[in-house]
Amino acid sequence: MGCCGGGCGKQNGEETLHHELNTEPRAFVIDRMWEEAENIRTFVFKGTLHAKPGQFCMLWIPECDEKPFSIARDYDGEIWLTICKVGPATTRLFEMKAGDYVGIRGAYGQGFSTALTPSPSPKGRGEHSKVVLIGGGYGTAPLHFTGKCHQDAGSDVTMIIGARHKNLLIWEKESKDSGFRTLVATNDGSAGIQGFTTHILEDLLKNEAIDLVQTCGPEKMMRAIVEMCIDQGVPCEVSVERYMKCGFGICGQCVVETGEKMCQTGPVVSAEKAMTFSDFGVFHRGAEGQRKNW
Amino acid sequence: MKNLHVNFCGVAFKNPLVLASGVLGVTAPSLSRVIELGAGGITTKSLWREPHPGHPNPTMFGTKEYFMNAVGLSDAGLVKGVQTMKELRERTKEPIIANIVAGNIQDFGAIAEAIAELSPDAIEVNISCPNVESEFGKPFACSRIDAAAVTKLVRANVGDIPIAIKLSPNVESIVDIAKAVVDAGADAITAINTVGPGMRWNIDLRTPILSNRVGGVSGPAIFPIAVKAVYDIHAALPNTPIIATGGVNSGRDALEIMMAGGTLVGVGTAIYYHGDATWKKFTDEMSQWLEKSEFETLSDIIGIFHKA
Ligand SMILES: Cc1cc2nc3c(=O)[nH]c(=O)nc-3n(C[C@H](O)[C@H](O)[C@H](O)COP(=O)(O)OP(=O)(O)OC[C@H]3O[C@@H](n4cnc5c(N)ncnc54)[C@H](O)[C@@H]3O)c2cc1C
Ligand SMILES: Cc1cc2nc3c(=O)[nH]c(=O)nc-3n(C[C@H](O)[C@H](O)[C@H](O)COP(=O)(O)O)c2cc1C
Ligand code: FES
């Protein structure tokens, strides 16, 4: 079934608060899981969060921690999260098995615009429009979901996937199987071109008419993409990740330098908005609010 | 058009609504945006001298009626606190209340002295957080002697900056504690901090929802408790201004708790229910009410329930 058979997210409508009034975590059982690459695993849960692509959820690993993760799929009665093992919480999660319980709350935040979801970008939203998605690292996962929604609306989807090495490439097969034109860049040339996703984008921007670029990945990569798109006048959206504790606008951990909360105003914002954040591509903050350079 | 100005310990506020400590308070841009959205003033997150990690998540969640948190007072310590305060002063002219916390009485003195150098408009002393009991034992706000000792030391270390002591509702008599801190030199009282602590479990996971197992309760459900605390403190100490805090969730709630004795009104959890619109919504409701009322200024309503 196409992604929108399962409902490509709830519509925002008039709501200003992107959470239901009850934000207790709900119990979900890990249905199955598989390795995407070294230290990257996709976890599947039965159910739905009514998520739009680009939104995130808070995943509670009981007696450990609760952390934000992008929703890699929410249709056909399944929720997928693609998770990279980086520290204590994700390590604990990687020790869990099918049948184990976790808590999930969400979906939260603004997603990527597609023809099927409200859009800050005027173009690139309909039949025959040409959309380019650029993922770095685990950022590729929510973009596949985004691509499916574009495809359902009749758009032509190009997916650019970047990784340091071919062993770290994820979602390449799914991307090809979904019929997206799939272009790959690795730092060491072990798959696709040797170089960065930005090199591929540069070429595309030169040679093709592109209606919309959407990206999720390392912030320095996204910053370079944003600058290229603004320069070329191509609408672009980016997912700006900040440290998140609540996910619903209370704790203030995820605030960028304009004072806006990335859990509600973001994580997906337009390129123009991202450029108003003086920290975009420069620094983020840790659990106690201390600055950390990207 | 009547305005919402109030005066608190000699500091002018364009309206009495101040952001309560710990909500949206991690950075200067976050706090100054709350002013832009219409708050009369802001309170910083509790500032520690040394970095303090806080509890792992889940640290908070909400329901229609109440909110629970056990953030555990996470803060990066004085170096960041000083930066935040300086940046905040550059970003806004509206009043800044610096909220401070410490694990022992001496450290309260030290953090107070350091923060006083930055000349905040007032200092709020958090001796009432229920979420760090496993680390520090019962809050100082549970003992008249400890509460007075903290107050005395802070008072001695901050020159003429007004100090408000933030009290806990989780005591036998909040009025006795209020009297003790005022005797020890407090200019004002903030009442109340969160109620409880309370506890909630997930029945499928059979695990307490908050990693700290217990957490302070805030939001609409605690409003009646806050109104009573403010009413009782004002009755006992009519000349002591109160930052009336706890469950205020509308402009009418703010007016009610002022009539019970609040000079300023702390607003925290309401942001969970109303988002960025909170400030304008509440001040609009207050202005409309005041305009139609017999009162000329908002200050005239402070404590009027006691005159009835
Ligand atoms: C909107 C959003 C979407 C995300 N989507 C994904 C995803 O799809 N897949 C994935 O693998 N990761 C994703 N992350 C990052 C993920 O939250 C962190 O990798 C995870 O929290 C690490 O926890 P840890 O205890 O294993 O590691 P830690 O050692 O605690 O942290 C490792 C690094 O992860 C980041 N991090 C830690 N805690 C948080 C937090 N509460 N909020 C944000 N960043 C944090 C920090 O940069 C930190 O340096 C996303 C983050 C955000 C904000
Ligand atoms: C998420 C959260 C964090 C808080 N952190 C602090 C804090 O750091 N210091 C403090 O003095 N009070 C803290 N409080 C208590 C509030 O300042 C306030 O006293 C209490 O929540 C009651 O008001 P409310 O119902 O308007 O939120 C916190 C409350 C919440 C909900
Ligand atoms: S994560 Fe708490 S305000 Fe955004």
Side-chain angles (χ1 to χ4, degrees):
Chain A
M1 199 199 297
C3 86
C4 299
C8 235
K10 57 191 159 201
Q11 298 296 307
N12 271 2
E14 301 291 292
E15 279 220 12
T16 51
L17 297 179
H18 303 282
H19 63 79
E20 306 297 336
L21 278 181
N22 192 306
T23 49
E24 289 174 59
R26 284 187 293 142
F28 283 85
V29 176
I30 301 176
D31 183 68
R32 59 190 196 282
M33 61 178 91
W34 58 84
E35 307 290 326
E36 297 284 356
E38 201 184 321
N39 289 330
I40 304 182
R41 206 174 273 184
T42 294
F43 295 83
V44 176
F45 308 91
K46 294 283 182 198
T48 179
L49 301 171
H50 304 285
K52 296 183 295 200
Q55 286 191 299
F56 68 97
C57 66
M58 297 298 293
L59 175 67
W60 175 28
I61 303 141
E63 283 158 47
C64 176
D65 215 325
E66 184 201 41
K67 297 287 189 181
F69 295 99
S70 301
I71 295 157
R73 170 177 294 195
D74 186 350
Y75 51 84
D76 293 349
E78 293 190 344
I79 303 156
W80 292 19
L81 305 179
T82 294
I83 294 179
C84 188
K85 184 164 85 173
V86 292
T90 47
T91 300
R92 175 75 197 91
L93 180 67
F94 272 52
E95 290 160 10
M96 295 178 83
K97 294 177 202 60
D100 288 346
Y101 272 107
V102 298
I104 299 181
R105 51 191 182 88
Y108 296 136
Q110 302 295 330
F112 286 108
S113 53
T114 70
L116 305 158
T117 53
S119 166
S121 315
K123 291 207 288 173
R125 302 191 41 189
E127 229 174 305
H128 310 308
S129 63
K130 212 166 166 159
V131 182
V132 174
L133 309 174
I134 308 168
Y138 61 75
T140 310
L143 286 179
H144 185 269
F145 183 11
T146 314
K148 293 289 270 184
C149 288
H150 283 303
Q151 202 175 43
D152 280 5
S155 297
D156 172 45
V157 179
T158 298
M159 174 78 88
I160 306 176
I161 307 176
R164 285 199 310 279
H165 181 75
K166 78 169 189 305
N167 291 350
L168 296 170
L169 271 178
I170 59 164
W171 287 76
E172 186 191 1
K173 182 174 179 311
E174 290 81 353
S175 176
K176 287 180 177 157
D177 289 351
S178 298
F180 304 160
R181 175 170 60 152
T182 305
L183 307 170
V184 169
T186 51
N187 297 13
D188 59 3
S190 51
I193 67 146
Q194 177 172 7
F196 299 113
T197 53
T198 43
H199 295 142
I200 299 178
L201 178 66
E202 207 173 354
D203 262 6
L204 294 189
L205 286 172
K206 232 180 268 162
N207 299 316
E208 299 177 16
I210 293 163
D211 298 301
L212 177 64
V213 172
Q214 292 172 319
T215 175
C216 183
E219 205 159 299
K220 285 212 182 291
M221 173 191 96
M222 293 196 295
R223 168 95 193 208
I225 290 167
V226 158
E227 285 173 0
M228 281 162 75
C229 289
I230 289 179
D231 189 49
Q232 301 282 317
V234 176
C236 171
E237 293 174 353
V238 288
S239 177
V240 179
E241 286 175 12
R242 286 295 177 268
Y243 198 96
M244 291 182 185
K245 266 188 191 167
C246 68
F248 49 61
I250 284 288
C251 72
Q253 293 281 155
C254 66
V255 164
V256 291
E257 290 300 280
T258 54
E260 288 161 293
K261 309 165 201 173
M262 285 305 99
C263 67
Q264 289 187 326
T265 301
V268 177
V269 296
S270 69
E272 289 72 20
K273 188 169 212 39
M275 289 305 284
T276 66
F277 309 156
S278 58
D279 49 332
F280 177 58
V282 183
F283 70 90
H284 60 132
R285 291 176 188 272
E288 286 81 41
Q290 68 281 30
R291 274 182 188 221
K292 293 176 161 189
N293 288 336
W294 280 118
Chain B
M1 187 69 184
K2 303 172 190 172
N3 64 49
L4 297 179
H5 293 185
V6 290
N7 182 298
F8 170 82
C9 297
V11 182
F13 285 74
K14 68 179 180 189
N15 72 61
L17 304 184
V18 294
L19 177 70
S21 178
V23 174
L24 294 179
V26 182
T27 64
S30 179
L31 289 161
S32 60
R33 180 142 193 280
V34 171
I35 296 275
E36 286 160 27
L37 292 170
I42 51 86
T43 314
T44 67
K45 199 164 172 352
S46 288
L47 303 168
W48 291 89
R49 201 167 149 212
E50 305 295 338
H52 190 262
H55 301 304
N57 254 7
T59 47
M60 63 189 94
F61 70 90
T63 70
K64 254 190 5 261
E65 302 83 11
Y66 64 87
F67 192 88
M68 283 185 72
N69 95 84
V71 172
L73 301 172
S74 53
D75 180 49
L78 193 55
V79 176
K80 176 182 168 274
V82 168
Q83 271 168 12
T84 302
M85 292 287 297
K86 284 188 176 157
E87 194 186 336
L88 196 52
R89 189 69 302 162
E90 281 164 22
R91 282 175 177 253
T92 180
K93 298 207 158 29
E94 302 303 330
I96 300 169
I97 304 171
N99 179 301
I100 58 169
V101 69
N104 62 56
I105 294 173
Q106 282 68 34
D107 284 355
F108 265 111
I111 179 80
E113 193 175 354
I115 292 299
E117 280 175 25
L118 304 164
S119 312
D121 296 284
I123 292 178
E124 181 176 81
V125 187
N126 179 10
I127 57 168
S128 48
C129 181
N131 299 325
V132 289
E133 270 185 44
S134 51
E135 203 177 339
F136 299 110
K138 278 268 167 226
F140 294 126
C142 295
S143 146
R144 272 182 318 193
I145 295 165
D146 290 343
V150 172
T151 307
K152 222 168 152 187
L153 188 57
V154 170
R155 174 72 285 158
N157 286 6
V158 302
D160 54 9
I161 298 172
I163 62 170
I165 308 296
K166 186 163 182 179
L167 299 187
S168 168
N170 315 316
V171 294
E172 212 165 287
S173 166
I174 196 170
V175 172
D176 285 352
I177 310 280
K179 283 183 185 158
V181 299
V182 169
D183 281 346
D187 303 285
I189 299 289
T190 301
I192 53 179
N193 210 318
T194 51
V195 172
M199 184 185 237
R200 282 288 319 282
W201 292 66
N202 181 295
I203 61 168
D204 299 309
L205 275 61
R206 268 153 252 149
T207 309
I209 296 172
L210 300 174
S211 75
N212 188 48
R213 301 180 70 86
V214 300
V217 183
S218 61
I222 74 163
F223 184 60
I225 297 170
V227 171
K228 168 115 181 356
V230 169
Y231 184 90
D232 289 351
I233 295 167
H234 188 77
L237 298 161
N239 300 319
T240 302
I242 303 171
I243 307 179
T245 307
V248 172
N249 203 29
S250 67
R252 289 187 71 85
D253 286 351
L255 293 166
E256 180 177 336
I257 208 162
M258 289 182 80
M259 292 181 189
T263 296
L264 294 178
V265 178
V267 175
T269 304
I271 297 166
Y272 176 74
Y273 300 97
H274 306 281
D276 287 348
T278 305
W279 308 99
K280 179 154 187 331
K281 189 166 183 291
F282 290 12
T283 49
D284 281 354
E285 277 169 33
M286 294 170 80
S287 296
Q288 278 160 22
W289 185 90
L290 185 66
E291 206 56 46
K292 288 197 200 121
S293 78
E294 70 273 34
F295 300 100
E296 275 313 309
T297 75
L298 200 55
S299 305
D300 297 340
I301 75 163
I302 297 169
I304 54 155
F305 290 158
H306 298 265
K307 291 168 192 135

